[in-house]
Amino acid sequence: MACRARGAWCTVVIVLLLMVAFEFVGGPGVNWGTLSINPLPPRHVVKIFDADPDVVRSMAGTDIEVMVAAPNDMLATLAKDPEASDAWVRENVTSLNFEEGVYIRWVAVGNEPFLTAYEGVYLTTTVPALRNIVNAVANAGLADTVKATIPFNADILNGAAKPSETRFKIDTGTPFSVNLYPFLSKYQSPDFPLGYAFFEGSTASVVDGPHYWEKYSVYIDALIAAPTAEGYPNMQVVLGEIGWTSDGNVFANLELAGRYNQRMINHLQSKVGTHLRPNSFTEFYLFGLLDEDIKSILPGPFERHWVSSTAFPPQMIKSLEFPPYMSAQYCVLNEEADRTNLSQNVAFACSRADSTASYPGSSCASLTPEQNASSSFNQYFQFQNQDSHACDFQGLARITTEIPSVGNCRFIIGLVQVPPPSAATSGTNYNAVSHLLVQSIWHTQHSSSRSRA
């Protein structure tokens, strides 16, 4: 669900090397989104495996696999102009994909372009854009090592209850990665049993020959059955995004997010597979590493809260110079001030910062009016880089170093704002490379002698 505005892919996503966090059988991944006022500087993320600051070139010389992607707003150009596709591949693939350079494995064409909410805007341009990118990759001599794909949302399927009856709504004719979120099933249907989503067994099941006791296997086998019905029984299924949201809804919190993510990881790590593909591992990318406080909340306030509590255990974070927080200070309500204009000032703060944690069912929803004022003032204060003038509110606020968090409601501290590397420094076009996906793998899986064009 990168860039929930459902427009261009406007996040940068990195899948970190998390060997210190988990022992994975296959290639795990974590999405890193940057739709924040003060996004985490790349160097503080890649520092985990001792790489350089540059988001793309920091992967040079490693065995980390990279996906670069063209955003939805480029599809029309790429579809109608093969030379534009050639130029895009030269700039974003060929220039980086060399021995001891960046190991680019995938080129993604768009992001969920056939999503129903787009009302067919990209139907006529996505497949032509894919064809031109495929040809451009071949023209660059990379066809054997770099593959193109279209990341899909699960609503490309017909919604059949049984995997065997699942078909594509439309004929895409391409290999695919799919973004799956069992949380959305719970969000849309509160009676949806959590145990069915959380790999815990459930009274609910789908009978399709065998019984399906967890939703994940229904998803995966549906994604296998649909292309099989089209004559592609061996198509690889990649979960480009999967996870559980951690705030913004009564069913969204850190406990459930951690519980779902860990059980999902354990299930995939076991390689038990599914009924249609037993004893197999499905490549996946956990969503996500960080909350994004300026992402669109059109689908719901939970959109800004997908941080995975299993991605970085607290003991791991404490052992690093990470992340680069601002000073440990907060903006809170001045209890002695005249509160005549309190509601207006709280509304002002909420309208210019992220207030989704205060929505019904969220972590800060049960605060008293005074605590809510402090939470709103602090959000605005951090959004304004802790400018002292941003903690006044007509004398209603004051700065404190005492942690004002209440229960599960966390009062944030902003990250130090660091400008992105310049093109002159990095050689990377950040406008063109608008989405980056790096899969973490074991260094032993790809030797330094791997073949590259």
Side-chain angles (χ1 to χ4, degrees):
M1 285 192 181
C3 191
R4 298 288 179 195
R6 301 297 182 186
W9 264 359
C10 53
T11 63
V12 175
V13 177
I14 291 224
V15 180
L16 301 171
L17 189 63
L18 297 178
M19 291 188 292
V20 295
F22 306 107
E23 293 182 1
F24 284 103
V25 172
V30 177
N31 288 267
W32 169 27
T34 61
L35 285 175
S36 301
I37 289 294
N38 293 324
L40 188 66
R43 69 167 175 265
H44 291 279
V45 176
V46 299
K47 180 185 291 186
I48 295 170
F49 43 90
D50 298 320
D52 294 332
D54 189 310
V55 173
V56 179
R57 291 191 181 276
S58 64
M59 310 303 165
T62 72
D63 288 322
I64 298 174
E65 299 177 354
V66 178
M67 177 188 288
V68 292
N72 288 344
D73 59 9
M74 288 190 65
L75 293 177
T77 299
L78 297 175
K80 70 180 180 181
D81 187 357
E83 292 184 1
S85 298
D86 288 335
W88 190 92
V89 168
R90 282 196 302 271
E91 183 170 9
N92 298 295
V93 181
T94 310
S95 66
L96 302 171
N97 195 57
F98 53 89
E99 188 66 36
E100 299 306 320
V102 182
Y103 185 19
I104 297 177
R105 176 186 177 193
W106 299 95
V107 174
V109 181
N111 180 40
E112 303 180 353
F114 300 131
L115 193 70
T116 302
Y118 285 147
E119 298 180 345
V121 170
Y122 304 111
L123 282 180
T124 61
T125 57
T126 302
V127 173
L130 176 68
R131 291 196 187 102
N132 285 342
I133 288 293
V134 169
N135 291 335
V137 169
N139 293 340
L142 300 174
D144 291 337
T145 57
V146 179
K147 303 300 180 183
T149 185
I150 299 172
F152 295 111
N153 184 278
D155 74 352
I156 63 168
L157 304 177
N158 62 2
K162 297 181 179 180
S164 63
E165 297 175 356
T166 300
R167 299 293 184 270
F168 289 120
K169 289 181 182 176
I170 52 177
D171 179 17
T172 62
T174 64
F176 61 95
S177 65
V178 180
N179 305 335
L180 295 179
Y181 290 95
F183 165 79
L184 296 180
S185 296
K186 185 66 173 176
Y187 177 69
Q188 294 162 359
S189 301
D191 293 335
F192 182 84
L194 283 178
Y196 192 44
F198 281 53
F199 307 92
E200 296 172 351
S202 174
T203 55
S205 69
V206 169
V207 181
D208 191 14
H211 279 258
Y212 287 82
W213 296 102
E214 25 81 17
K215 186 65 172 176
Y216 169 83
S217 292
V218 175
Y219 280 145
I220 297 301
D221 279 359
L223 294 170
I224 294 169
T228 297
E230 300 292 333
Y232 299 94
N234 299 315
M235 185 176 290
Q236 180 185 6
V237 174
V238 176
L239 297 179
E241 300 172 15
I242 187 169
W244 195 276
T245 184
S246 55
D247 207 346
N249 180 264
V250 67
F251 302 116
N253 54 61
L254 285 172
E255 188 276 327
L256 288 179
R259 178 175 150 199
Y260 175 79
N261 290 336
Q262 189 61 66
R263 287 183 176 273
M264 183 267 294
I265 289 167
N266 292 345
H267 183 81
L268 290 172
Q269 187 176 359
S270 72
K271 296 185 70 174
V272 65
T274 66
H275 293 302
L276 293 184
R277 287 189 184 165
N279 306 314
S280 63
F281 177 82
T282 301
E283 185 176 322
F284 73 97
Y285 300 89
L286 189 65
F287 199 96
L289 174 61
L290 302 169
D291 283 349
E292 297 174 85
D293 52 24
I294 57 173
K295 182 186 287 185
S296 169
I297 61 170
L298 185 61
F302 55 83
E303 288 291 357
R304 294 178 178 173
H305 305 281
W306 291 88
V307 61
S308 164
S309 60
T310 59
F312 282 100
Q315 65 272 20
M316 180 180 176
I317 294 176
K318 290 178 181 178
S319 67
L320 302 169
E321 278 183 52
F322 169 86
Y325 285 115
M326 297 181 196
S327 300
Q329 57 179 349
Y330 309 85
C331 180
V332 297
L333 176 68
N334 181 356
E335 296 85 353
E336 299 179 358
D338 180 353
R339 303 186 186 182
T340 301
N341 297 321
L342 181 59
S343 60
Q344 295 93 321
N345 280 276
V346 170
F348 174 87
C350 288
S351 68
R352 288 163 174 79
D354 178 29
S355 61
T356 53
S358 298
Y359 280 52
S362 303
S363 62
C364 300
S366 60
L367 297 184
T368 66
E370 291 78 12
Q371 292 168 339
N372 181 64
S374 291
S375 176
S376 301
F377 290 164
N378 184 64
Q379 286 282 351
Y380 180 80
F381 177 60
Q382 305 297 338
F383 265 48
Q384 297 298 319
N385 298 307
Q386 295 189 351
D387 184 342
S388 60
H389 298 293
C391 186
D392 181 75
F393 295 100
Q394 297 181 301
L396 284 163
R398 62 180 177 86
I399 295 175
T400 181
T401 57
E402 295 182 9
I403 301 175
S405 298
V406 180
N408 292 327
C409 179
R410 298 164 295 163
F411 281 53
I412 67 167
I413 298 176
L415 297 177
V416 175
Q417 209 166 28
V418 178
S422 66
T425 300
S426 67
T428 301
N429 185 331
Y430 275 79
N431 290 325
V433 188
S434 60
H435 192 85
L436 174 68
L437 198 59
V438 181
Q439 180 195 354
S440 63
I441 57 174
W442 297 111
H443 285 278
T444 55
Q445 285 182 288
H446 293 277
S447 68
S448 59
S449 62
R450 62 175 177 264
S451 174
R452 294 208 194 183

